Amino acid sequence: MTERPNLLVVCGRNKRRSRTVEYIFKNDQRFNIRSVGLSPKSERQIKERDIEWADLIFVMEDGQSGRISGTFRHLELPEIEVLLIEDEYEYLDAELIEMLTDRINSTLEVVYKKKKSG
């Protein structure tokens, strides 16, 4: 992983969950962040260039990881982490912000430790 890794955050339509992550972490100096959606109706739909840019991908639900793997099987995929956050929150919902902050920070700690020791 690079000095300042690129994190790609993915949800269904890039309206609430992934956009919230991008908003709350946009000025975080530990990494660069970008959000996209899997649906063709997404404001920013996931593209091959997003996968190539990313050092680590966060998805909200289990099935999203499989969709990325299937759609982009011709690419070398970065590690994909599942946050297990259902699509039941509004954009910038306080509970959503708390869950995302906790899960992303704890996952990054584990990933960074793994990279340093491995």
Side-chain angles (χ1 to χ4, degrees), residues 1 15 27 39 50 54 73 77 79 84-85 95 102 105:
M1 201 173 286
K15 290 188 93 159
N27 296 316
S39 170
D50 296 312
R73 65 179 150 267
L77 297 176
E79 186 172 343
L84 297 174
I85 297 176
E95 187 179 350
D102 290 348
N105 283 325

Side-chain angles (χ1 to χ4, degrees), residues 15-72:
K15 290 188 93 159
R16 300 186 292 205
R17 295 171 293 174
S18 61
R19 297 278 303 268
T20 297
V21 174
E22 184 175 28
Y23 181 83
I24 60 179
F25 286 108
K26 68 183 172 192
N27 296 316
D28 195 307
Q29 295 304 303
R30 296 174 296 168
F31 48 80
N32 303 304
I33 194 156
R34 180 186 297 174
S35 70
V36 295
L38 290 169
S39 170
K41 296 179 180 179
S42 302
E43 222 170 275
R44 289 182 286 183
Q45 185 180 6
I46 192 168
K47 304 276 188 234
E48 196 169 295
R49 68 178 177 267
D50 296 312
I51 301 291
E52 292 167 343
W53 173 84
D55 294 307
L56 177 62
I57 298 173
F58 284 103
V59 297
M60 300 296 154
E61 302 169 32
D62 278 326
Q64 294 168 339
S65 149
R67 283 184 61 189
I68 291 170
S69 299
T71 302
F72 299 101

Side-chain angles (χ1 to χ4, degrees), residues 64-95:
Q64 294 168 339
S65 149
R67 283 184 61 189
I68 291 170
S69 299
T71 302
F72 299 101
R73 65 179 150 267
H74 59 286
L75 297 176
E76 185 175 330
L77 297 176
E79 186 172 343
I80 300 175
E81 293 289 335
V82 181
L83 297 173
L84 297 174
I85 297 176
E86 295 297 320
D87 190 11
E88 57 189 41
Y89 301 93
E90 293 302 318
Y91 176 64
L92 296 180
D93 178 279
E95 187 179 350

